[in-house]
Amino acid sequence: MPNMSLTRNEMPVQEPDVRNKNFKEVALGYTEEQAIDEAQRCLGCKNKPCSTGCPVQIDIPAFISEVAKGDFAAAYKIITQSSSLPAVCGRVCPQETQCESKCVRGKKGEPVAIGRLERFVADWHNAQPDAAVEKPVSNGHKAAVIGSGPSGLACAGDLAKKGYDVTVFEALHVAGGVLSYGIPEFRLPKSIVQKEIEGLKALGVKVETNTVVGRTMSIDELMQEEGFETVFIGSGAGLPRFMNIKGENLNGVYSANEFLTRINLMKAYRDGSSTPIKAGTKAVIVGGGNVAMDAARCAKRLGADVTIVYRRTENELPARAEEVEHAKEEGIVFKFLTNPTEIKPTENGWVSSVVCQEMELSEPDASGRAKPVPKEGAFIEIEADCVIMSIGTSPNPLIKSTTEGLDTQKWGGIIADDNGLTSKEGVYAGGDAVTGAATVILAMGAGKKAAAAMDEYMQNK
């Protein structure tokens, strides 16, 4: 009999006043008993509406059915037929707006906790003694992947499973892309990212770090001199944007990209770090997305009193509801309908405060989204000694400027069709390098589509 409880099993977590002082993972994961109980809430719908909401098309009812029976190995096998990074996706994928939003159980109660179950299965698998991985038979063809973020890893994994000799080129000294430098340890432990990458290496994927394509070598050189027959560009969108307001060049002003990279990749939060970073005593974070939540929660853990300013209301926050809830629980203050206009300095050139204009929402435009407009004469000043800008990123122009025949958008994104094909023969692209900053799972979906298209291209060739 199905478990007809209207509520899902709660995820065990660290207490807010404990976790906001450490970088250990907040969510602790289901026990076997909790996972089986939650899986038994699934009705096993034959038309699988949940799977239609999954960008990588995992057979969700099938894997949950195996969890309900306690066969976690079988569940893992089903998930990894579609996903190369289940332990990552189970933690950072916005299931509430994707697979779980389609769950029938959500019509009269809470949807099945699909993401939590995916995480449980992946963690269970990773806790088992390493089993020998059967390396696919080589098909004799070489493929290059630029960038080791979610789109690049998904593409590399799918191509490796088809027998391609795949090499991933990563600019940084550690593989993982945004999974390594962008998402904090308390949301996504780096040991888990590296475990997933080791799984891809076992399939035969090679990873070359400290290799900046466009400087070390060009895409044309990869294809013409190194023998790569097809290339996927998954270089992400790591170029930070700023507001261009007075005071943005003061000491104590960071982009969220720099702030998080130094914390996540260089471990700047550790005592004795060679690259320490200051969050000050009062930090202001500008923005309302997941990256803003990550920056705010990191600053809190570094000892600052943290305020997030966002020019729209809470209803328009693009961040995941869970991340917003966790931030509030940890003592982070939100100021909505508030937009910075100036950052004031101290006498020695550091940040002293942020001047903000109060905003109000206009009537919704043709897109259905209300636009924030200034409230005339209404200003507030927030004391701060650290300001972190988290208002978006764009693709680095390096690859565009060094690759002949590669068409791009005005804002820098690479132009590619639904299958990732660019204007350059044999070259595909996906993820944030094409769309601008988006989610991990959407980037993975793009990488999988491109891998299928690259394989078809090579077969036809």
Side-chain angles (χ1 to χ4, degrees), residues 48 50-51 56-64 78-79 81-82:
K48 304 178 183 181
C50 50
S51 292
V56 296
Q57 298 296 292
I58 294 172
D59 189 341
I60 293 170
F63 101 74
I64 291 180
I78 292 168
I79 294 172
Q81 287 172 354
S82 302

Side-chain angles (χ1 to χ4, degrees), residues 245-430:
I245 60 175
K246 186 177 180 181
E248 269 187 322
N249 61 344
L250 292 172
N251 292 324
V253 179
Y254 302 94
S255 70
N257 204 11
E258 178 195 355
F259 186 76
L260 290 171
T261 297
R262 290 174 67 178
I263 287 174
N264 298 325
L265 205 58
M266 303 173 188
K267 309 303 180 188
Y269 60 87
R270 291 179 179 168
D271 291 337
S273 169
S274 59
T275 58
I277 196 165
K278 292 182 178 180
T281 58
K282 297 181 187 299
V284 169
I285 285 72
V286 182
N290 287 326
V291 175
M293 300 304 127
D294 287 343
R297 296 172 69 194
C298 284
K300 184 70 177 179
R301 283 159 171 76
L302 292 176
D305 291 331
V306 182
T307 302
I308 292 175
V309 297
Y310 181 59
R311 62 181 185 155
R312 291 184 165 89
T313 73
E314 183 168 4
N315 292 333
E316 287 79 39
L317 274 176
R320 291 184 67 187
E322 182 179 76
E323 301 309 319
V324 175
E325 180 185 350
H326 281 173
K328 288 180 177 179
E329 289 174 350
E330 290 167 9
I332 292 166
V333 175
F334 286 75
K335 286 192 179 295
F336 298 107
L337 292 172
T338 306
N339 196 43
T341 57
E342 180 185 354
I343 303 171
K344 288 187 174 181
T346 62
E347 290 183 358
N348 60 357
W350 286 79
V351 172
S352 71
S353 65
V354 182
V355 178
C356 300
Q357 182 155 35
E358 294 182 8
M359 310 293 282
E360 53 191 358
L361 294 184
S362 65
E363 292 298 317
D365 58 20
S367 69
R369 195 177 192 198
K371 182 180 179 181
V373 294
K375 188 185 291 186
E376 190 172 348
F379 290 88
I380 62 171
E381 189 167 342
I382 305 171
E383 186 181 350
D385 48 12
C386 173
V387 176
I388 301 170
M389 292 291 178
S390 182
I391 57 172
T393 56
S394 58
N396 190 306
L398 181 60
I399 287 179
K400 164 187 131 178
S401 64
T402 58
T403 306
E404 190 174 340
L406 187 67
D407 292 343
T408 59
Q409 308 277 4
K410 287 183 179 179
W411 53 270
I414 298 169
I415 296 174
D417 68 13
D418 287 343
N419 293 316
L421 178 62
T422 71
S423 56
K424 190 173 180 67
E425 183 181 351
V427 177
Y428 295 75

